[in-house]
Amino acid sequence: MSTETLIADRIEIADLFSRFARLLDEKRWGDARTVFTDDVAVHSPRGGELRGVDTVVGFMRRSEVEGQQAQHFTTDLLVDLDGDQAGVSAYSLVYYYRDGRAPHFTGGLRMAGTVVRTPAGWRFREQRITPAWTREN
């Protein structure tokens, strides 16, 4: 694989993490297939093991708190490319707030998993979300 291809893949995977954060922040559940494969598996303490994009979207919809917004920041992305798939990990800092007010809850997460190249671009096939810490503000 050429250096140019490796760099392009890493940029696209970084963009995937950003698109996922924006999807969560903007509650654009209908765009889930732009970040997940149809057979995605998501593992988290809140949701347990969720299989399939429709199941994941259903969980996200049910988890909405009326009037609460979120702002996700992703950092320290690591990508271990292996052809058309990659092991990935990153940290996420999440602020929960109500419009016009300072955050009332903050959390740090570690996200790890697998992304795969699809005809439509890179997508999450598996995500493991592990809380590192939380703070009520």
Side-chain angles (χ1 to χ4, degrees):
M1 188 173 291
S2 75
T3 301
E4 289 176 3
T5 301
L6 288 172
I7 292 169
D9 285 343
R10 288 177 180 274
I11 291 170
E12 288 180 33
I13 292 168
D15 284 353
L16 175 63
F17 274 83
S18 296
R19 287 196 327 270
F20 176 59
R22 288 282 177 90
L23 178 146
L24 293 173
D25 292 347
E26 297 170 5
K27 301 177 184 177
R28 290 185 290 105
W29 314 134
D31 292 343
R33 283 181 171 78
T34 68
V35 297
F36 295 123
T37 60
D38 285 339
D39 63 345
V40 66
V42 176
H43 312 270
S44 75
R46 283 184 49 212
E49 183 174 320
L50 304 168
R51 293 205 172 266
V53 69
D54 293 331
T55 301
V56 171
V57 169
F59 174 76
M60 291 188 294
R61 286 183 196 279
R62 288 189 306 278
S63 298
E64 284 186 55
V65 175
E66 187 175 334
Q68 180 172 272
Q69 305 296 323
Q71 190 173 30
H72 291 73
F73 296 91
T74 305
T75 185
D76 298 333
L77 174 63
L78 294 175
V79 177
D80 183 17
L81 280 164
D82 185 15
D84 288 340
Q85 71 175 21
V88 295
S89 67
Y91 292 108
S92 184
L93 180 60
V94 186
Y95 293 97
Y96 295 93
Y97 66 96
R98 300 195 186 282
D99 285 339
R101 300 178 72 191
H104 62 274
F105 189 80
T106 308
L109 308 171
R110 181 169 189 269
M111 297 187 307
T114 304
V115 297
V116 294
R117 186 190 321 268
T118 73
W122 288 92
R123 301 292 187 263
F124 289 103
R125 180 190 295 156
E126 181 181 21
Q127 277 188 343
R128 292 188 179 279
I129 301 166
T130 307
W133 57 270
T134 59
R135 179 179 73 193
E136 290 190 38
N137 301 329

